[in-house]
């Protein structure tokens, strides 16, 4: 019987998986730097929490129009090349920001317009990425490969904002340039990720085929509970959009400190992901998922109240570790419960929910910060996340009682 060590060694020797993971490092680092630069640039221009929220809203709204189409494309096209095309377009967006920054023509509308562009692209990239990973490894290695992919993601989330904060010392244009270069490198690598690809039979594109993923999830209380849990927990509990305010007005640490604040959740996620890549959760997965979400909410409440920078970093790291348990359990359940012919469309719906929790959550943070103040917004959102975890344990019994991933 294969041991944990044998499974990890098998993963590390898988060439296509390694190419996929390296490409993820480059792409996520680029995206983190790009969004860090846009958010700081916006706040530097307008000093408005409302405008920070609008950046998130402008990324979310176009995703509503493109997400289901993106899922259909992911089930019909070569997924690696589809992701490569998305990254090439993001490089174009970064290049436009380089030019407008160099010519001193960046405005609030420029940043919001490019946020719209990035929001329209993201569903295609995420649907392709999520549906691609199960094609690269056998099912018995999926949970560990998901954890390894999460480790890679968190390394990038740590490195991207931290490097972006350092590059700010040179200029914001340098941040945009580095992001564009990394997007191009990642696009090339994704284009050459190899897996057994057989073009599916041609069928007409209809409302029925586009909505198939949504119907599939709606018919499964387990999948519906897992996906909607992330939507509402992060929608209310996310504090990312307000980190520039914390860095500038509450903790007084500037753009370099902002980079560390953005990286802190990823540091906690990295530690937990490394552990789970070697020791996957094998029992009580539903209960552990809900507990992890509750811990996430508590840590956000404490972060909202903190005024000491090191404690704030630690609390954000705890939130990242708890969120990683949630991500790995949810994503593995979704992949294992979905047939390959549907993975792109199910991934697209999952992307829509993730986008709502992140981008719409940023807008919610901006609105609630305007009404309750920055600290009040974060604290109330954290409490709401704890209540959501308790409610989901009652509303979605198949999820709460799920014992094993398989």
């Amino acid at each position: 019987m294969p041991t944990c060590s044998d499974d990890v060694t098998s993963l590390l020797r898988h060439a296509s998986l390694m190419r996929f993971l390296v490409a993820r490092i480059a792409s996520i680092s680029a995206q983190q730097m790009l969004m860090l630069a846009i958010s700081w640039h916006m706040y530097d221009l307008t000093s408005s929490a409302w405008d920070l929220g609008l950046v998130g809203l402008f990324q979310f709204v176009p995703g509503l129009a493109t997400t289901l189409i993106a899922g259909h494309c992911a089930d019909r096209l070569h997924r690696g090349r589809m992701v490569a095309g998305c990254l090439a377009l993001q490089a174009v967006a970064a290049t436009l920001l380089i030019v407008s920054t160099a010519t001193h023509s960046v405005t609030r509308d420029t940043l919001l317009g490019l946020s719209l562009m990035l929001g329209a692209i993201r569903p295609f990239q995420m649907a392709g990425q999520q549906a691609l990973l199960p094609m690269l490894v056998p099912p018995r290695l999926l949970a560990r490969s998901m954890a390894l992919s999460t480790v890679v993601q968190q390394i990038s989330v740590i490195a991207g904002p931290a490097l972006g904060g350092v590059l700010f010392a040179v200029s914001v244009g340098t941040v945009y340039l580095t992001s564009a270069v990394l997007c191009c490198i990642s696009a090339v690598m994704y284009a050459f990720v190899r897996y057994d690809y057989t073009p599916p039979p041609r069928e007409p594109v209809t409302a029925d085929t586009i909505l198939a993923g949504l119907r599939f999830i709606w018919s499964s209380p387990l999948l519906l509970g897992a996906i909607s849990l992330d939507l509402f927990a992060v929608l209310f509990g996310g504090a990312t959009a307000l980190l520039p305010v914390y860095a500038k007005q509450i903790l007084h640490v500037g753009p370099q400190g902002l980079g560390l604040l953005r990286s802190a959740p990823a540091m906690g996620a990295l530690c937990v992901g490394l552990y789970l890549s070697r020791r996957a959760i094998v029992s009580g997965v539903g209960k552990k998922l809900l507990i992890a979400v509750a811990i996430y909410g508590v840590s956000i409440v404490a972060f909202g109240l903190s005024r000491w920078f090191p404690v704030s970093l630690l609390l954000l790291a705890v939130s990242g570790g708890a969120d990683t348990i949630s991500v790995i359990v949810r994503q593995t359940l979704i992949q294992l419960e979905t047939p390959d012919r549907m993975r792109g469309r199910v991934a697209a719906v999952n992307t829509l929910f993730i986008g709502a929790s992140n981008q719409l959550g940023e807008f919610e943070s901006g609105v609630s910060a305007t009404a309750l103040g920055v600290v009040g917004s974060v604290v109330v959102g954290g409490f709401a996340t704890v209540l959501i975890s308790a409610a989901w344990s009652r509303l979605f019994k198949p999820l709460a009682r799920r014992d094993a991933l398989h």
Side-chain angles (χ1 to χ4, degrees), residues 129-377:
Q129 284 176 338
Q130 290 182 35
L132 178 59
L133 181 56
M135 304 298 295
L136 304 179
V137 296
R140 72 179 180 84
L141 296 179
L142 182 58
R144 286 196 173 93
S145 64
M146 196 73 68
L148 191 58
S149 178
T150 301
V151 168
V152 163
Q153 176 179 334
Q154 300 312 324
I155 290 173
S156 306
V157 173
I158 293 167
L163 178 58
V166 171
L167 292 175
F168 262 110
V170 181
S171 69
V172 68
T174 305
V175 183
Y176 292 137
L177 175 61
T178 306
S179 177
V181 171
L182 288 175
C183 280
C184 291
I185 292 171
S186 181
V188 172
M189 297 193 72
Y190 268 114
F192 289 97
V193 169
R194 289 183 172 81
Y195 66 97
D196 292 333
Y197 171 67
T198 303
R202 290 186 175 274
E203 61 176 320
V205 179
T206 64
D208 186 62
T209 59
I210 290 176
L211 295 174
L214 192 59
R215 287 198 308 272
F216 183 81
I217 291 171
W218 188 260
S219 68
S220 170
L222 180 104
L223 293 184
L224 181 61
I227 293 176
S228 61
L229 176 65
D230 176 72
L231 167 64
F232 289 104
V234 180
L235 173 64
F236 293 108
T240 303
L242 299 176
L243 290 182
V245 184
Y246 268 84
K248 191 169 186 177
Q249 295 184 356
I250 297 175
L251 299 173
H252 307 290
V253 291
Q256 287 74 27
L258 174 61
L260 292 175
L261 288 171
R262 289 290 294 263
S263 298
M267 183 61 75
L270 174 61
C271 295
V272 173
L274 283 171
Y275 179 81
L276 293 180
S277 68
R278 297 190 62 83
R279 296 186 178 276
I281 297 174
V282 295
S283 64
V285 295
K287 181 179 179 180
K288 290 172 183 175
L289 167 63
L290 293 167
I291 290 173
V293 172
I295 292 173
Y296 173 83
V298 170
S299 64
I300 292 298
V301 171
F303 167 76
L305 298 172
S306 172
R307 295 295 181 275
W308 191 25
F309 184 56
V311 171
S312 297
L313 290 176
L314 177 62
L315 291 167
L316 287 175
V318 171
S319 76
D323 186 51
T324 295
I325 296 173
S326 170
V327 168
I328 291 173
V329 171
R330 285 186 295 99
Q331 296 295 343
T332 305
L333 283 174
I334 291 168
Q335 299 294 357
L336 292 174
E337 295 290 318
T338 306
D340 182 64
R341 62 183 176 80
M342 292 288 295
R343 280 193 175 121
R345 282 165 286 186
V346 168
V349 177
N350 189 35
T351 296
L352 178 62
F353 278 65
I354 292 172
S357 65
N358 291 328
Q359 279 75 56
L360 193 57
E362 291 181 10
F363 178 66
E364 181 274 335
S365 295
V367 172
S368 62
T370 303
L372 303 173
V374 173
V375 173
S377 170

Side-chain angles (χ1 to χ4, degrees), residues 112-125:
L112 291 178
L114 288 172
S115 294
L116 276 174
M117 176 182 173
L118 294 171
I121 295 168
R122 181 168 290 133
F124 291 89
Q125 179 183 346

